[in-house]
Amino acid sequence: MSFLNIALPTTASWATSDVVVSGVTTTLQLFACLVVLTSVFFTFRPLLSGIARAFWVSLFPARSRAQETAERLLRTRLTLRRLANDSELSSPAMAAELQAMSART
């Protein structure tokens, strides 16, 4: 701190005002960028959503009807086998019937 800062306090406050002005300017620039990006997003939203959907489908393609049927049958077969294994000790006849049903699916 120099002697001039004591004699002329206004010069010391200029540095503070420069910081405040630069902070306000930076905030306004950031806000302007956000406004522009938001307007671009809303303008091109159909295009951007189409690109996102195409990217999603390329990562996770839709399964065919045959694949869905095969998965459903596999789940049914595994469920019947699990039920047969659970009831094997308490009801052997029921377990045998469930095993036969699972073999038919």
Side-chain angles (χ1 to χ4, degrees):
M1 199 162 142
S2 70
F3 173 72
L4 290 177
N5 286 343
I6 296 171
L8 301 169
T10 57
T11 57
S13 67
W14 286 343
T16 325
S17 65
D18 287 343
V19 170
V20 170
V21 168
S22 68
V24 169
T25 306
T26 305
T27 305
L28 288 176
Q29 286 175 347
L30 179 64
F31 182 71
C33 286
L34 287 175
V35 167
V36 168
L37 285 175
T38 305
S39 64
V40 166
F41 175 74
F42 279 114
T43 302
F44 295 107
R45 186 171 50 179
L47 176 67
L48 294 174
S49 66
I51 290 171
R53 185 171 295 152
F55 179 71
W56 183 262
V57 167
S58 70
L59 289 179
F60 305 104
R63 295 180 305 204
S64 68
R65 189 177 299 227
Q67 288 174 330
E68 289 179 1
T69 304
E71 284 183 19
R72 188 176 63 248
L73 289 174
L74 178 65
R75 278 195 312 266
T76 303
R77 184 177 297 144
L78 291 175
T79 302
L80 287 172
R81 284 190 183 167
R82 183 178 44 82
L83 288 172
N85 290 336
D86 289 346
S87 65
E88 190 172 6
L89 294 176
S90 62
S91 173
M94 175 69 87
E97 184 66 32
L98 289 170
Q99 287 285 353
M101 287 173 62
S102 122
R104 284 190 299 248
T105 58

